[in-house]
Amino acid sequence: MAAAARRAASLLPLLLSSPARARLPHRAAPTLTPPPLLRPHRLYSPKPSSSAAFAASNGAAAERAPELHLYNTKSRRKELFRPRVPGGEVGMYVCGVTPYDDSHIGHARAYVAFDVLYRYLRYLDHKVRYVRNFTDIDDKIIARANQLGEDPFSLSKRYSDDFLSDMAHLQCLPPSVEPRVSDHIDQIINMIKQILDNGCAYVIGGDVYFSVENFPEYGELSGRKLDDNRAGERVAVDERKKNPADFALWKAAKDGEPYWDSPWGPGRPGWHIECSAMSAHYLGHSFDIHGGGEDLVFPHHENEIAQSRAACCDSSINYWIHNGFVNVNSQKMSKSLGNFVTIRKDIQLSQVTELYHPLALRMFLLGTHYRSPINYTIEQLNVASDRLYYTYQTLQDCEESCQQHQSNGGDPLPVSTTNCIQKLHDEFEASMSDDLHTSVALAAISEPLKVMNDLLHTRKGKKQEKRLESLSAMQEKIRMVLSVLGLLPSSYYEALQQLREKALRRASITEEQVLQKIEERTSARKAKQYEKSDEIRKELAAVGIALMDGPDGTTWRPSVPLSEQGVVAST
């Protein structure tokens, strides 16, 4: 029921604390002024309507919720999702960021995907406890802090705050809990003790290593054989290890680095143990869903499984979910290739969220199935922005029409309207329940939007019976779809204004200049200078400003730049 969604929304982040405290090397930290955070747009994050609520709102008996199928990396097939505890709380852990730099579009891709899963589980009336961590102490953080002459915890806090701001811009709902590694050192140490006691780890000079040879199931998630495994990705090979594939659970302290006391001497956690300890602390040793990017399957998630089971033999996770890679202009995004695109800054150092509405980026990301590779291009982002504007403009026009006129209630809606709404409902649930095919769900709103525009603007549509009631009912259903996809703004008007402002910025033109061009074109048309009139239209179309002639004069709207409109036709 919808009450389940309300309960899920009421979960507040917990105040985390641990008696263990890092000891920092003595040095005077420079006083740095953090950059101002991006202020999120006022975005609407409603509690998604449920499938049962849809049936009730249409006077029908509550329908059985659709069955959700998710692709499980471990089994390499789609499986019917069944919570560990029927009717209980779904536990979902998603590996968070290591905050040492700006968030990139790979982060956006991952956390938008799992935000949609979180929303859809709630739509299906599941209570969800969603945990997403911050790895706030790590080799990369320490290296970056040393480079900048900054305290590592100050640096990670600054980038963590920036990340949360980016996620708010993208309208990702906050997880139920957002634990940080530095607050959970006691839990990590206790888990390492359990692994040692169970004979699956060994100590060398203050370092603790996991012994993969003592865990026969190692490699079952990634499908790798032990002989194929490499030592790791975040540290150099240590010749003291019994097996090159053994990985660090605890790292002995180095000069100038933060450290904590432990039974093996001062040091800090290895990368992989952190998630095992925090997921067990908040969700138990066994829970429903563990997610992350495809790049985490090996070694991170493979190592998580090994150390979690080595600590608790009953540990199990039912569904391992991974999103695909991001390519940039058909090349894998990589700092070494110079095509690393951050949410705040692209390779030209201009801000993505300054030039594009963040929900345009979200719509672009949802236009590809979460497991498939996604190709980031400016052309595709322009297409997504254009579609978002069309959607919000239609809904804004509908809202204004329904507010200005009194509808006639009582009689049932036309069959064509109910069929259109039911078709959208069925296509939405079928696509989302089939491993979250968001691109199909987005495509499903195209026909209702077209019908709404006919009812709003064509002579024939304006004469149809129960026109306003039909518009209102279709708008309500589209709002539900947009809500679950995280694309519903607090105000269509404000979102449209923001989209227009960003289009002007991309075009390097002011609205006053556009209006002046419109006046010049109007004068040219009156003087029958049609060639000049066409030149003005094409000049603006080339930079993504479309002119629209109507009975009340000429207006403008953002559009895909003329040279890129072939992309629209092919997508």
Side-chain angles (χ1 to χ4, degrees):
M1 299 297 291
R6 290 194 294 271
R7 286 193 297 273
S10 68
L11 291 172
L12 298 176
L14 303 180
L15 295 175
L16 309 178
S17 62
S18 170
R21 289 290 180 264
R23 297 186 180 181
L24 296 171
H26 180 72
R27 71 180 181 193
T31 302
L32 299 177
T33 303
L37 297 179
L38 291 173
R39 294 184 63 81
H41 300 290
R42 289 200 306 115
L43 299 175
Y44 177 48
S45 299
K47 306 172 186 69
S49 301
S50 68
S51 177
F54 169 75
S57 68
N58 285 271
E63 298 174 354
R64 182 180 178 183
E67 293 186 326
L68 172 62
H69 289 79
L70 295 171
Y71 183 86
N72 191 342
T73 302
K74 187 175 178 181
S75 66
R76 294 165 182 77
R77 62 183 177 85
K78 281 191 283 190
E79 297 179 2
L80 175 64
F81 176 72
R82 295 191 184 280
R84 297 184 68 87
V85 181
E89 192 173 61
V90 173
M92 182 169 79
Y93 186 94
V94 176
C95 289
V97 296
T98 300
Y100 72 98
D101 204 344
D102 289 323
S103 305
H104 54 70
I105 58 173
H107 293 138
R109 207 279 166 96
Y111 301 121
V112 165
F114 287 104
D115 179 65
V116 169
L117 175 56
Y118 180 34
R119 288 169 179 267
Y120 194 61
L121 286 168
R122 292 171 57 194
Y123 170 83
L124 297 178
D125 295 332
H126 293 294
K127 294 172 288 185
V128 185
R129 186 169 175 80
Y130 174 18
V131 182
R132 185 184 69 205
N133 74 292
F134 281 108
T135 298
D136 64 343
I137 188 63
D138 178 87
D139 291 338
K140 292 182 178 180
I141 293 173
I142 293 170
R144 187 67 185 277
N146 289 338
Q147 177 188 357
L148 298 176
E150 186 174 356
D151 170 71
F153 291 105
S154 171
L155 180 136
S156 64
K157 174 65 165 61
R158 177 160 57 85
Y159 281 119
S160 295
D161 290 344
D162 288 350
F163 168 81
L164 293 174
S165 177
D166 289 336
M167 292 303 104
H169 272 75
L170 290 169
Q171 202 153 285
C172 293
L173 298 175
S176 312
V177 189
E178 295 186 281
R180 298 173 187 269
V181 170
S182 59
D183 291 325
H184 296 79
I185 301 300
D186 285 351
Q187 290 86 350
I188 292 168
I189 289 174
N190 288 336
M191 179 168 275
I192 295 173
K193 287 179 181 177
Q194 292 174 325
I195 296 171
L196 282 165
D197 290 345
N198 291 334
C200 289
Y202 54 93
V203 182
I204 298 180
D207 294 317
V208 183
Y209 285 102
F210 186 90
S211 176
V212 295
E213 290 183 347
N214 289 1
F215 187 76
E217 296 86 4
Y218 191 79
E220 64 179 11
L221 179 67
S222 62
R224 289 171 175 262
K225 295 180 181 179
L226 190 57
D227 293 341
D228 298 333
N229 291 331
R230 58 188 186 275
E233 295 193 351
R234 295 201 174 192
V235 292
V237 175
D238 187 339
E239 294 181 355
R240 300 175 302 160
K241 294 192 292 186
K242 296 179 180 179
N243 186 305
D246 293 349
F247 55 90
L249 301 176
W250 187 262
K251 299 180 179 182
K254 297 178 182 178
D255 290 341
E257 291 185 355
Y259 66 89
W260 289 263
D261 290 330
S262 80
W264 319 287
R268 56 188 172 84
W271 174 32
H272 313 293
I273 191 66
E274 302 162 351
C275 287
S276 288
M278 288 187 289
S279 63
H281 182 67
Y282 289 100
L283 299 174
H285 287 283
S286 297
F287 53 93
D288 297 281
I289 297 170
H290 196 313
E294 187 179 348
D295 57 317
L296 297 181
V297 175
F298 184 88
H300 186 51
H301 288 166
E302 192 73 75
N303 291 351
E304 275 195 65
I305 291 174
Q307 60 203 7
S308 293
R309 287 191 185 169
C312 176
C313 62
D314 294 328
S315 172
S316 68
I317 298 166
N318 286 358
Y319 303 89
W320 287 88
I321 313 295
H322 295 92
N323 64 275
F325 291 119
V326 174
N327 297 323
V328 177
N329 297 320
S330 300
Q331 286 187 307
K332 182 180 177 181
M333 188 176 73
S334 167
K335 286 186 176 180
S336 62
L337 294 176
N339 64 352
F340 204 71
V341 183
T342 66
I343 297 171
R344 291 168 177 248
K345 293 180 265 186
D346 68 12
I347 53 178
Q348 286 79 35
L349 302 181
S350 59
Q351 296 183 354
V352 172
T353 50
E354 181 179 321
L355 295 177
Y356 293 91
H357 197 294
L359 293 188
L361 176 58
R362 184 176 178 116
M363 177 169 268
F364 159 73
L365 294 170
L366 296 180
T368 299
H369 185 254
Y370 78 92
R371 283 193 293 112
S372 300
I374 189 169
N375 189 36
Y376 173 90
T377 66
I378 292 299
E379 292 81 5
Q380 292 288 0
L381 200 53
N382 283 329
V383 170
S385 184
D386 188 65
R387 289 177 175 172
L388 195 70
Y389 190 92
Y390 167 73
T391 300
Y392 292 167
Q393 185 65 69
T394 302
L395 295 172
Q396 168 74 5
D397 292 346
C398 173
E399 196 172 74
E400 290 179 353
S401 294
C402 293
Q403 287 175 351
Q404 292 173 3
H405 297 84
Q406 185 69 33
S407 64
N408 298 318
D411 297 332
L413 294 173
V415 174
S416 59
T417 299
T418 56
N419 287 344
C420 182
I421 293 172
Q422 187 64 52
K423 183 172 182 287
L424 173 56
H425 176 82
D426 293 343
E427 290 180 353
F428 167 75
E429 288 197 344
S431 60
M432 293 295 289
S433 295
D434 182 20
D435 198 30
L436 305 177
H437 272 274
T438 52
S439 57
V440 180
L442 278 173
I445 69 173
S446 296
E447 183 60 25
L449 288 172
K450 181 180 180 298
V451 172
M452 290 173 70
N453 272 298
D454 287 341
L455 292 172
L456 286 163
H457 304 299
T458 68
R459 185 176 301 175
K460 180 180 177 181
K462 290 179 179 180
K463 292 181 180 180
Q464 287 196 19
E465 283 189 54
K466 309 292 287 184
R467 169 176 165 269
L468 296 180
E469 291 82 357
S470 294
L471 283 169
S472 179
M474 283 189 283
Q475 178 189 217
E476 182 181 353
K477 189 60 186 177
I478 291 175
R479 283 178 63 88
M480 182 280 296
V481 172
L482 294 178
S483 172
V484 177
L485 295 177
L487 289 169
L488 188 63
S490 60
S491 162
Y492 302 131
Y493 176 80
E494 289 183 9
L496 289 168
Q497 285 297 105
Q498 292 160 3
L499 286 161
R500 288 163 68 92
E501 290 167 5
K502 292 177 188 300
L504 292 170
R505 198 169 297 167
R506 294 194 299 271
S508 298
I509 194 172
T510 66
E511 186 162 25
E512 290 74 17
Q513 290 172 323
V514 172
L515 296 178
Q516 184 179 347
K517 290 287 184 182
I518 290 175
E519 288 182 11
E520 290 177 13
R521 179 172 173 270
T522 301
S523 299
R525 293 175 74 192
K526 288 179 180 179
K528 298 185 179 180
Q529 297 174 339
Y530 299 117
E531 186 173 337
K532 181 179 180 181
S533 170
D534 289 342
E535 285 177 1
I536 293 172
R537 177 189 285 274
K538 289 179 181 178
E539 177 188 346
L540 291 173
V543 294
I545 304 296
L547 300 184
M548 299 172 291
D549 298 319
D552 298 326
T554 302
T555 57
W556 73 273
R557 57 152 288 175
S559 68
V560 176
L562 198 58
S563 62
E564 300 175 12
Q565 289 186 5
V567 176
V568 180
S570 63
T571 56

